[in-house]
């Protein structure tokens, strides 16, 4: 494997789907990380539009804000929040992978390994988040809230 | 077997020949990466503090809790920086996606303007609210307000 300013030699990607042989990209980890990054990016964007508006109700009245927050506290939304946080964590970890792959030749060569490291980090972070959040979601609310 | 890309920087020049002026696409490319790194800290901190480290998590998020946070300059600046970076990053990402998929010029123009207007409205709204917010509005039910309002 050599690297000069005028050529970059990459290891054979050996695609599993031979119908796409001859491409470096399609059907492999690189493509799936791009698909996931795009889908999660769009999903987070639309949630953010809603989230800024619901938070804006804090300027209207305590009752208005608490009423909209109550919708985030039912169990179905609680499960949706796990999916949403999963999307954020995946987009964030894969975003760091993109930055490394762009900036650092070692990471460019090992982008496939880095994809699986990203998946591992997402799994670990979600194993930390999900139990705590679901216990909160499904715990009976004590007085005051 | 290896695959070799000859002259990787030559086949697809980063910028069309003959373009003048500041390279805005390059600035956007750098911004996506710089804002991304900062957003990891801001968003993970936001989620951990609000949903994991506060007893009750999502159930504890109400006017008293958020009002108490927004009464402090630390959280005001945290939230405003997160707002600006997330909206600009997300909107610029959506711009890329619209440019990739929307080929009809009128629809593309409308979509790009919608993204831009939404970004401007939410950034202005969110920033004004964060800095003009009153955690102890007059005449409100004291039991709904942050605890320090009782001492006023
Ligand atoms: C949590 C930290 C985040 C990191 C590290 C991150 C990182 C990145 C990176 C590196 C890119 C690629 C840009 C490119 O290919 O030139 C990107 C794209 C994108 N991001 Fe993020 N991002 C984060 C948060 C967000 C948030 C909060 C949103 C939504 C509001 C968002 C929406 C998008 C969108 C829509 C794209 C375009 C995707 C595409 O072109 O396929 N990201 N992000």
């Amino acid at each position: 494997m050599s690297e000069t300013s005028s050529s970059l030699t990459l290891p054979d990607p050996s695609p599993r789907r031979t119908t796409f042989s001859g491409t470096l990209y399609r059907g492999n980890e690189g493509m799936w990380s791009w698909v996931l990054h795009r889908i999660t990016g769009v999903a987070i964007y639309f949630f953010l539009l809603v989230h800024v508006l619901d938070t804006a109700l804090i300027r209207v009245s305590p009752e208005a804000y608490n009423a909209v927050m109550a919708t985030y506290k039912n169990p179905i939304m609680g499960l949706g929040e796990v999916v949403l946080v999963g999307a954020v964590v995946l987009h964030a970890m894969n975003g760091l992978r993109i930055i490394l792959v762009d900036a650092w030749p070692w990471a460019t060569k090992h982008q496939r390994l880095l994809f699986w490291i990203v998946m591992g980090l997402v799994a670990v972070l979600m194993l930390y988040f999900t139990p705590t959040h679901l216990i909160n979601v499904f715990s009976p609310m004590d007085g005051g809230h | 077997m290896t695959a070799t890309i000859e002259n990787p920087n030559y086949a697809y020049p980063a910028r069309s020949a003959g373009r003048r002026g500041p390279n805005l696409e390059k600035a956007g490319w750098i911004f996506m990466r710089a804002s991304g790194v900062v957003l990891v800290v801001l968003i993970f901190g936001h989620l951990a503090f609000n949903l994991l480290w506060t007893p009750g998590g999502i159930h504890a998020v109400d006017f008293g809790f958020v009002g108490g946070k927004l009464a402090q300059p630390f959280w005001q600046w945290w939230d405003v920086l997160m707002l600006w970076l997330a909206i600009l990053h997300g909107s610029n990402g959506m711009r890329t996606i619209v440019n990739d998929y929307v080929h009809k010029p009128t629809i593309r123009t409308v979509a790009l303007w919608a993204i831009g207007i939404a970004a401007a409205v939410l950034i202005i709204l969110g920033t004004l609210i964060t800095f003009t917010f009153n955690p102890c509005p007059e005449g409100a039910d004291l039991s709904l307000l942050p605890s320090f309002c009782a001492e006023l």
Side-chain angles (χ1 to χ4, degrees):
Chain A
M1 237 174 283
S2 72
E3 201 185 316
T4 66
S5 59
S6 65
S7 86
L8 173 67
T9 303
L10 298 169
D12 175 24
S14 43
R16 260 172 244 116
R17 302 195 45 187
T18 48
T19 39
F20 292 137
S21 67
T23 73
L24 286 163
Y25 191 65
R26 260 208 257 181
N28 285 313
E29 285 86 342
M31 181 192 100
W32 291 112
S33 75
W34 171 79
V35 169
L36 288 170
H37 200 79
R38 201 154 253 207
I39 292 173
T40 54
V42 173
I44 305 164
Y45 173 79
F46 283 109
F47 168 70
L48 180 62
L49 299 186
V50 175
H51 189 44
V52 174
L53 293 175
D54 66 56
T55 305
L57 290 180
I58 198 138
R59 196 76 183 81
V60 175
S61 75
E63 289 79 5
Y65 184 72
N66 289 351
V68 72
M69 279 301 116
T71 62
Y72 283 103
K73 299 176 188 184
N74 83 59
I76 294 173
M77 288 295 271
L79 294 174
E81 284 143 24
V82 173
V83 176
L84 178 66
V85 170
V88 171
V89 168
L90 181 52
H91 188 95
M93 292 301 110
N94 192 56
L96 296 178
R97 171 182 161 281
I98 293 172
I99 295 169
L100 290 178
V101 167
D102 285 345
W104 181 25
W106 182 91
T108 317
K109 282 179 200 143
H110 296 91
Q111 59 86 17
R112 178 181 270 184
L113 168 68
L114 285 170
F115 175 82
W116 292 107
I117 293 177
V118 163
M119 289 302 163
L121 286 172
V122 172
V124 169
L125 288 165
M126 290 313 286
L127 282 173
Y128 172 52
F129 176 80
T130 310
T132 313
H133 184 63
L134 289 183
I135 288 169
N136 284 329
V137 166
F138 289 101
S139 296
M141 284 173 271
D142 44 326
H145 295 304
Chain B
M1 197 189 106
T2 58
T4 302
I5 304 170
E6 290 300 335
N7 293 323
N9 300 324
Y10 177 76
Y12 299 97
R15 201 176 196 208
S16 323
R19 287 292 298 262
R20 294 279 173 277
N23 192 339
L24 293 178
E25 285 299 339
K26 181 179 173 187
W29 186 92
I30 294 170
F31 173 77
M32 290 306 274
R33 279 140 188 85
S35 61
V37 173
V38 181
L39 280 169
V40 174
V41 177
L42 293 175
I43 294 177
F44 280 39
H46 174 79
L47 292 171
F49 187 86
N50 293 346
L51 297 181
L52 297 178
W53 300 339
T54 299
I58 184 72
H59 279 314
V61 177
D62 57 16
F63 187 92
F65 172 76
V66 181
K69 278 182 78 184
L70 288 182
Q72 297 162 259
F74 175 83
W75 286 115
Q76 284 184 328
W77 286 104
W78 184 292
D79 285 358
V80 158
L81 187 60
M82 186 164 66
L83 170 78
W84 281 68
L85 291 180
I87 299 268
L88 292 174
H89 176 109
S91 303
N92 192 44
M94 292 299 288
R95 183 185 67 93
T96 303
I97 294 173
V98 165
N99 284 338
D100 275 359
Y101 299 128
V102 183
H103 299 295
K104 287 213 171 71
T106 28
I107 303 178
R108 181 187 288 202
T109 307
V110 169
L112 294 178
W113 272 96
I115 292 168
I117 291 169
V121 167
L122 292 180
I123 284 181
I124 293 169
L125 179 73
T127 307
L128 283 178
I129 285 175
T130 309
F131 290 116
T132 66
F133 172 70
N134 176 7
C136 309
E138 225 157 297
D141 179 352
L142 262 187
S143 70
L144 299 178
L145 304 184
S147 52
F148 57 77
C149 294
E151 288 143 36
L152 295 182

